[in-house]
């Protein structure tokens, strides 16, 4: 059985930049340990925006420019990048909360074999849950899991709420 790890948006702007939080910084050691110990293929998503961010639907609801492509905030956290670089990974740029391309990328990688997917990253209540639900919708028979100690939400309360919703949708919480 193939195993996949999806590292969601562990970018500087979500860790200690424009939208960074203490909770995001606190999960870095656990996420690094998870990556280093993972035996399988790894995909890392990049929340990706452009100079016109403030004119987008997201920018109008969240008026904080972040993850503008090729800026320092768009880059992966240095500790996460070091761990990923040791293991090898596939980058997946995404232009909305959930990657509409990720299910096809995983389907191609699986090449007909059974697989499991585990997700870690930021933010639990926005991009992690969006990607987990997209994967569960595309692969209803696959085991989709989220390691909650390697995730952080916008707030601890929103993190906990997202975890409960994912449990309701049969996503395994580790």
């Amino acid at each position: 059985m193939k195993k996949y790890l999806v590292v969601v948006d562990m970018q500087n702007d979500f860790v200690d930049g424009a939208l960074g939080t203490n909770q995001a910084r606190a999960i870095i050691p656990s996420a690094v340990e998870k990556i280093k110990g993972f035996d399988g293929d790894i995909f890392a998503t990049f929340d990706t925006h452009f100079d016109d961010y403030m004119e987008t639907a997201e920018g109008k609801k969240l008026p904080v420019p972040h993850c503008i492509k090729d800026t320092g905030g768009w880059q992966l956290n240095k500790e996460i990048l070091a761990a990923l670089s040791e293991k090898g990974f596939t980058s997946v740029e995404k232009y909305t909360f959930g990657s509409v391309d990720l299910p096809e990328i995983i389907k191609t990688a699986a090449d007909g074999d059974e697989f499991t997917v585990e997700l870690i990253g930021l933010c639990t209540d926005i991009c992690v849950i969006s990607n987990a639900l997209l994967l569960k919708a595309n692969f209803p028979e696959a085991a989709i899991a989220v390691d909650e100690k390697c995730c952080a939400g916008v707030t601890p309360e929103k993190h906990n709420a997202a975890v409960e919703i994912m449990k309701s949708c049969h996503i395994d919480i580790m």
Side-chain angles (χ1 to χ4, degrees):
M1 174 161 312
K2 293 182 177 178
K3 294 181 182 180
Y4 301 119
L5 177 66
V6 178
V7 179
V8 178
D9 299 355
M10 293 294 290
Q11 295 158 272
N12 289 324
D13 271 346
F14 292 124
V15 177
D16 54 15
L19 295 170
T21 64
N22 289 334
Q23 294 86 4
R25 287 185 288 282
I27 68 161
I28 296 296
S30 296
V32 166
E33 183 180 320
K34 172 69 70 174
I35 292 164
K36 286 182 174 183
F38 190 76
D39 183 25
D41 293 334
I42 302 174
F43 302 92
T45 68
F46 285 75
D47 190 45
T48 302
H49 300 294
F50 301 95
D51 290 333
D52 68 345
Y53 173 77
M54 293 299 286
E55 284 80 52
T56 67
E58 180 181 330
K60 290 175 183 167
K61 292 187 185 248
L62 177 62
V64 180
H66 64 281
C67 297
I68 307 299
K69 186 169 177 155
D70 296 327
T71 65
W74 181 76
Q75 301 297 323
L76 291 171
N77 166 271
K78 66 181 180 181
E79 295 168 69
I80 296 294
L81 177 59
L84 287 169
S85 295
E86 283 178 26
K87 298 293 285 191
F89 69 101
T90 300
S91 297
V92 180
E93 286 186 23
K94 61 183 193 56
Y95 309 105
T96 186
F97 301 140
S99 172
V100 295
D101 297 326
L102 187 59
E104 188 60 35
I105 292 167
I106 288 175
K107 181 179 178 182
T108 299
D111 194 29
D113 292 336
E114 290 186 20
F115 61 88
T116 63
V117 181
E118 185 176 342
L119 295 94
I120 64 172
L122 303 167
C123 295
T124 319
D125 51 310
I126 302 172
C127 294
V128 173
I129 192 172
S130 295
N131 283 287
L133 291 171
L134 276 167
L135 291 168
K136 193 63 177 172
N138 278 272
F139 309 114
E141 297 303 318
I144 309 294
V146 171
D147 187 338
E148 71 174 313
K149 78 178 182 310
C150 295
C151 294
V154 173
T155 66
E157 296 78 18
K158 289 185 177 188
H159 167 84
N160 292 336
V163 166
E164 289 306 312
I165 290 167
M166 288 187 282
K167 284 180 185 176
S168 294
C169 294
H170 304 166
I171 294 163
D172 299 319
I173 304 300
M174 304 171 65

